[in-house]
Amino acid sequence: MNLSSPLSEVPRVGPVYQKRLKGMGILTARDLLFHFPKTYRDLSVITPVSKITEGKEFCLSGTIANVQEKRTFIKQVSVVEGIFSDATGSARVVWLNQPYLAQTFGAGEKILLCGKVLRDKTGIFVSNPAHEKEGPSPIHIGRIAPVYAETKGVSSKWLRFIIHSILNAIGNALEDALPQSVQKECNLLPFAAALRQVHFPDSQKQADLARERFSFEELFYISLFILTERKKLAEIKAPSIPLSVDMMKRFIAKLPFTLTDGQKKAAWLILKDMEKPRPMNRILQGDVGSGKTVVAAMAALACVKAGFQAAFLAPTEILARQHFKTIGSSLAPFKATIGLLTGSSDLFISPKLPNDSIEISRAKLLQKAKEGAIDILIGTHALIQDKVRFSNLALVVVDEQHRFGVRQRAHLQTTPRQSSGQANYPSTKLGASKLPLDKARGKQTILTPHFLSMTATPIPRTLAMTLYGDLDPTVIDELPIGRKPIETKVIAPKDRGAAYVFMKKEVEKGRQVFVICPRIEPSTNNTQPVTEIKTVKEEYEKLAKEVFPELRVAMLHGKMPAREKEEVMKKFKRGKTDILVSTSVVEVGVDIPNASVMMIEGADRFGLAQLHQFRGRVGRSDHQSYCFLFTESRSAQTQARLRALVESNSGFLLAEKDLQLRGPGDFAGTKQWGIPDFAMANLTNLKLVAKAREAAKSVLDSDISLARHPLLKEITQHYRERLHME
Ligand code: ADP
Ligand code: MG
């Protein structure tokens, strides 16, 4: 048996338990060892029998005699009684319903008991105690005992037994993947010792140290992987995109607004980065409404003018269409050809018809992309899922990157461009990891596109150090001038009517209103699950028929056919609808400058960062805008969270707060790392994160190369597979 042995090779784990464990996600010996206790019970104090008192639980060490099963008046109950003694005295022990115990104990055998002391008419007795044979290393009694998360059919007692025997069998043969130097430097327990101490600690302190070691290890491996990726990218070639300041000036001059300094700075950094012959790997962070799209459009323009293609990935169809239109109209004067590829229909804008898109078949669109007849291809997930190939892709933009499960860079493909005098692009995946630099092939250079991801969810510092440490951050830290801060209010149920009156007044002024309904998770008990659609539908009907019968109300949810969604959005955008009742599909990126009220039902069901995103849908022009948060929840935590939103307009502060309050589990994109729960909590521990990152840096900088650390190499490979879905 070794760590990767399947459960079937673990002694004493039969088919029944294999099945139960599988249900808990445990498939190997390793999984069992990494099933850490939820907590511990300190059962290390042994009390002399003479000192036991009624009403408390005690651990005892001694022998048991006169064990026999007795009859009771109530026939079904079996009672086993015995006399337990140590050097200080004896006590009666009573077990109910465990008749086999009458045969369990040998005469004079030393045992440990742990149970509560009760009293009946004949005096005090130890009631239904747990028992264990005394030996040098007890696992239940006479020690700090692990308590595992309660699962049906898999008791803590059973897990202790199995885990203990695995540790005994292979505990000494476990290889430590952490380099000695790091272990020493950071004062960490060795791997095998930490595994032992996390399950069977000598003290609470040792248990804590063990956990710290594993948390550190996880953060260290992630950092090592991220830094290795960074290093690799620095060695890979990318197309160098010349920066034409003149052309950028012309582009800016045609915009209906002036760029903010933040936008100019960000665009400059990005354009300068793309001039270099190594792949840019940048994340553009800017609060909702800060105008990231136009910055990305400038990067795309530079690529197109240099004779390359750009790909734009958006999380929703609505957003992809919006980008298609805005980018299409802003780049049309520059003779760019733009395609839209979504799940439902494909469109195409050619410079000849700048204001009109034409429908095009998927096959044709793909053909054009492959031939290089499309300069910019904008799309949803379909862009990665279908076998889209490019002729000479130089830039991949991922909008709202936090919405994507995976770092999608790896999944766009490029094919050789036969008749071009330019660099030859072999048909290969674009992931840097997939691109061997084949120098022997002489002139043929493999070029990796530049990568720009954008997000309105600011990345808290700890996550920036670990999970996003391979990306160079660029921040747009200001909003276009003229935007008024949004007034945010938590509305008590009794004030609902007043809020409706207010909304109506806004509509009468010519403004528009969003109403967001939460997704209601299917409940775990047997009641019919309330679906997201149902709540939206109900709300829609209520508002359309009862509250605002004289206004134009529309509904939008993710399950609607794409065409219908598109139609609803179009109408809303053109001001033909007053109130849009929607699920979180409008959360990201949708731009309706005329909307002035964002009303959120069940606000407690959303994370702060997400609420902030919703709020960002309004306040996109010079109209004063409002965000109303409705909640039925009276919990202090909810109130505190919503207050944070009322008090702060800074996405960054809110993201940090969200991380503290709800943990990193809420940051989409963290899940894919497969970080175990115990380490997840530590993603917010700045000190530990910094320590792990430093250690990873020093390992990479020193001459201990990963090649000489096969285990480390394997682990980084493991992350690569997980993240790139290879
Ligand atoms: P986000 O950063 O949230 O993606 P968008 O790129 O969608 O923001 O821009 C939001 C809105 O602001 C759009 O209507 C866009 O045209 C507009 N916009 C962008 N930059 C400016 C600016 N400098 N001044 C005024 N409006 C701008
Ligand atoms: Mg956006």
Side-chain angles (χ1 to χ4, degrees):
M1 181 174 50
N2 59 42
L3 275 185
S4 41
S5 300
L7 292 180
S8 54
E9 285 168 29
V10 178
R12 284 175 292 253
V13 181
V16 173
Y17 270 101
Q18 284 171 31
K19 210 169 153 198
R20 288 178 189 165
L21 290 170
K22 202 174 156 197
M24 298 160 66
I26 297 174
L27 304 173
T28 62
R30 187 193 157 82
D31 294 342
L32 265 172
L33 291 185
F34 275 82
H35 185 64
F36 290 173
K38 185 181 67 174
T39 176
Y40 302 91
R41 284 191 71 196
D42 189 349
L43 302 180
S44 58
V45 179
I46 302 288
T47 305
V49 172
S50 61
K51 293 264 164 64
I52 62 174
T53 50
E54 185 191 342
K56 280 196 187 153
E57 185 185 66
F58 293 98
C59 294
L60 311 169
S61 157
T63 54
I64 189 157
N66 295 339
V67 183
Q68 39 186 292
E69 191 176 3
K70 296 196 169 170
R71 304 228 155 262
T72 54
F73 294 113
I74 317 152
K75 278 212 182 107
Q76 272 83 355
V77 183
S78 140
V79 178
V80 173
E81 278 201 22
I83 300 295
F84 186 83
S85 316
D86 67 8
T88 68
S90 10
R92 191 155 54 97
V93 180
V94 178
W95 281 286
L96 296 183
N97 278 331
Q98 299 175 68
Y100 55 90
L101 286 178
Q103 269 78 49
T104 298
F105 307 106
E109 185 179 55
K110 289 274 264 176
I111 61 166
L112 296 159
L113 290 187
C114 179
K116 203 162 176 184
V117 176
L118 299 179
R119 179 183 296 275
D120 62 12
K121 48 189 184 301
T122 43
I124 62 168
F125 64 98
V126 186
S127 168
N128 274 328
H131 64 90
E132 182 175 5
K133 264 184 201 159
E134 197 164 322
S137 56
I139 61 172
H140 308 293
I141 305 169
R143 63 161 312 109
I144 297 175
V147 179
Y148 300 92
E150 201 75 36
T151 310
K152 216 175 151 217
V154 183
S155 66
S156 277
K157 197 171 166 186
W158 185 84
L159 280 169
R160 282 174 202 156
F161 171 67
I162 292 295
I163 289 171
H164 193 257
S165 62
I166 298 176
L167 281 172
N168 279 350
I170 60 172
N172 295 328
L174 293 175
E175 214 183 323
D176 200 331
L178 264 189
Q180 284 289 327
S181 57
V182 174
Q183 242 176 73
K184 258 204 207 131
E185 186 77 16
C186 302
N187 268 325
L188 301 165
L189 289 183
F191 185 59
L195 267 182
R196 213 167 254 285
Q197 291 297 331
V198 87
H199 290 287
F200 299 101
D202 294 336
S203 63
Q204 186 59 51
K205 169 105 182 122
Q206 289 294 310
D208 294 343
L209 285 176
R211 248 164 232 271
E212 188 181 305
R213 137 98 206 195
F214 290 114
S215 297
F216 177 94
E217 168 180 293
E218 197 69 31
L219 297 171
F220 171 82
Y221 295 146
I222 290 172
S223 301
L224 197 65
F225 165 70
I226 288 284
L227 293 171
T228 317
E229 291 291 287
R230 242 193 123 93
K231 221 171 162 175
K232 270 198 198 154
L233 271 187
E235 288 159 8
I236 286 175
K237 285 211 164 27
S240 160
I241 307 295
L243 164 56
S244 156
V245 176
D246 270 357
M247 188 178 54
M248 289 305 152
K249 279 193 176 149
R250 269 191 289 137
F251 174 80
I252 293 168
K254 285 195 166 65
L255 291 173
F257 44 74
T258 30
L259 290 183
T260 62
D261 283 348
Q263 285 171 313
K264 281 186 204 154
K265 256 188 275 171
W268 178 255
L269 275 172
I270 289 164
L271 292 169
K272 284 310 266 183
D273 219 2
M274 293 199 312
E275 275 196 312
K276 293 177 198 143
R278 56 158 193 83
M280 166 173 81
N281 200 28
R282 208 165 260 285
I283 185 157
L284 177 60
Q285 300 177 64
D287 220 333
V288 279
S290 59
K292 296 182 287 293
T293 317
V294 63
V295 174
M298 289 167 78
L301 175 61
C303 288
V304 172
K305 283 293 139 182
F308 293 92
Q309 294 170 293
F312 241 88
L313 209 56
T316 63
E317 185 155 348
I318 293 174
L319 205 55
R321 283 173 191 275
Q322 182 178 299
H323 284 334
F324 177 65
K325 278 181 195 139
T326 54
I327 293 173
S329 60
S330 65
L331 293 191
F334 295 87
K335 306 243 176 308
T337 308
I338 300 166
L340 174 72
L341 188 148
T342 68
S344 55
S345 70
D346 297 333
L347 297 172
F348 179 69
I349 294 183
S350 86
K352 283 175 216 132
L353 297 158
N355 295 316
D356 217 0
S357 52
I358 48 173
E359 203 141 331
I360 182 173
S361 74
R362 171 65 50 96
K364 265 201 175 142
L365 189 72
L366 292 181
Q367 186 60 29
K368 279 181 188 293
K370 199 167 149 191
E371 287 169 355
I374 280 181
D375 298 317
I376 302 174
L377 188 55
I378 297 168
T380 55
H381 273 96
L383 199 61
I384 339 162
Q385 282 152 5
D386 288 347
K387 297 211 160 24
V388 184
R389 284 174 181 269
F390 293 89
S391 151
N392 56 353
L393 189 65
L395 172 68
V396 176
V397 180
V398 176
D399 193 17
E400 309 288 351
Q401 96 90 29
H402 63 284
R403 285 273 119 189
F404 285 96
V406 195
R407 303 189 163 193
Q408 303 289 9
R409 176 181 13 178
H411 291 276
L412 294 172
Q413 311 204 7
T414 197
T415 48
R417 186 180 202 166
Q418 301 300 346
S419 58
S420 112
Q422 298 182 21
N424 200 9
Y425 292 79
S427 166
T428 171
K429 282 197 175 185
L430 290 175
S433 56
K434 273 278 185 176
L435 284 180
L437 248 187
D438 194 352
K439 292 192 181 103
R441 281 153 93 187
K443 270 194 192 155
Q444 180 172 345
T445 345
I446 297 171
L447 298 181
T448 298
H450 299 287
F451 182 71
L452 175 65
S453 70
M454 307 199 283
T455 180
T457 302
I459 300 163
R461 238 170 103 202
T462 51
L463 298 190
M465 269 190 192
T466 47
L467 308 185
Y468 293 89
D470 57 334
L471 297 170
D472 294 314
T474 310
V475 181
I476 302 181
D477 51 6
E478 62 186 320
L479 293 178
I481 40 169
R483 302 263 171 94
K484 300 195 174 79
I486 300 160
E487 263 185 49
T488 306
K489 286 201 171 73
V490 182
I491 309 283
K494 68 173 171 50
D495 296 329
R496 179 175 283 270
Y500 285 150
V501 171
F502 185 92
M503 283 155 64
K504 192 164 173 216
K505 281 207 181 117
E506 281 294 301
V507 171
E508 280 162 2
K509 277 195 231 161
R511 300 289 83 76
Q512 287 163 288
V513 173
F514 283 107
V515 176
I516 305 289
C517 301
R519 163 183 276 117
I520 295 186
E521 304 294 342
S523 55
T524 39
N525 52 30
N526 269 344
T527 55
Q528 195 66 20
V530 189
T531 65
E532 172 184 35
I533 299 171
K534 191 166 161 215
T535 46
V536 175
K537 273 196 181 136
E538 276 172 3
E539 193 61 29
Y540 164 72
E541 293 195 343
K542 188 184 100 185
L543 293 179
K545 292 193 182 133
E546 293 164 31
V547 188
F548 303 116
E550 67 286 9
L551 300 184
R552 297 165 301 175
V553 185
M555 169 174 71
L556 184 74
H557 59 74
K559 297 272 156 60
M560 275 160 61
R563 260 178 208 287
E564 225 174 287
K565 270 192 274 187
E566 161 84 347
E567 209 40 50
V568 170
M569 278 319 287
K570 229 189 226 162
K571 271 183 144 173
F572 194 58
K573 223 168 178 165
R574 291 191 184 142
K576 299 229 185 306
T577 311
D578 302 313
I579 298 179
L580 182 63
V581 186
S582 167
T583 56
S584 58
V585 288
V586 298
E587 175 201 350
V588 287
V590 178
D591 193 32
I592 314 275
N594 189 47
S596 69
V597 180
M598 168 59 64
M599 159 175 172
I600 303 166
E601 295 284 350
D604 49 290
R605 292 174 191 273
F606 299 103
L608 282 180
Q610 207 183 357
L611 288 169
H612 182 64
Q613 284 267 333
F614 289 135
R615 178 165 64 180
R617 297 302 112 224
V618 296
R620 304 191 135 223
S621 63
D622 48 8
H623 305 302
Q624 176 60 52
S625 294
Y626 307 87
C627 176
F628 298 150
L629 306 167
F630 286 78
T631 174
E632 311 265 288
S633 161
R634 316 241 81 235
S635 97
Q637 211 216 3
T638 299
Q639 296 296 329
R641 279 183 45 219
L642 298 185
R643 208 159 10 170
L645 204 73
V646 171
E647 281 161 12
S648 175
N649 236 324
S650 149
F652 191 81
L653 281 181
L654 291 169
E656 287 278 358
K657 191 130 200 167
D658 227 7
L659 187 64
Q660 281 162 22
L661 289 174
R662 316 220 310 179
D666 270 297
F667 281 85
T670 47
K671 282 248 156 66
Q672 59 178 308
W673 289 87
I675 301 167
D677 290 347
F678 64 86
M680 270 300 222
N682 278 297
L683 278 177
T684 58
N685 181 343
L686 191 58
K687 230 166 120 185
L688 197 67
V689 164
K691 200 161 109 178
R693 187 180 166 84
E694 277 316 302
K697 248 191 195 148
S698 70
V699 166
L700 278 183
D701 291 347
S702 73
D703 46 289
I704 332 170
S705 79
L706 284 192
R708 282 179 34 215
H709 262 272
L711 224 53
L712 272 185
K713 209 174 158 186
E714 197 185 308
I715 289 167
T716 49
Q717 182 58 31
H718 175 67
Y719 280 114
R720 182 166 302 121
E721 280 160 18
R722 197 141 60 186
L723 291 174
H724 292 171
M725 299 194 308
E726 278 164 10

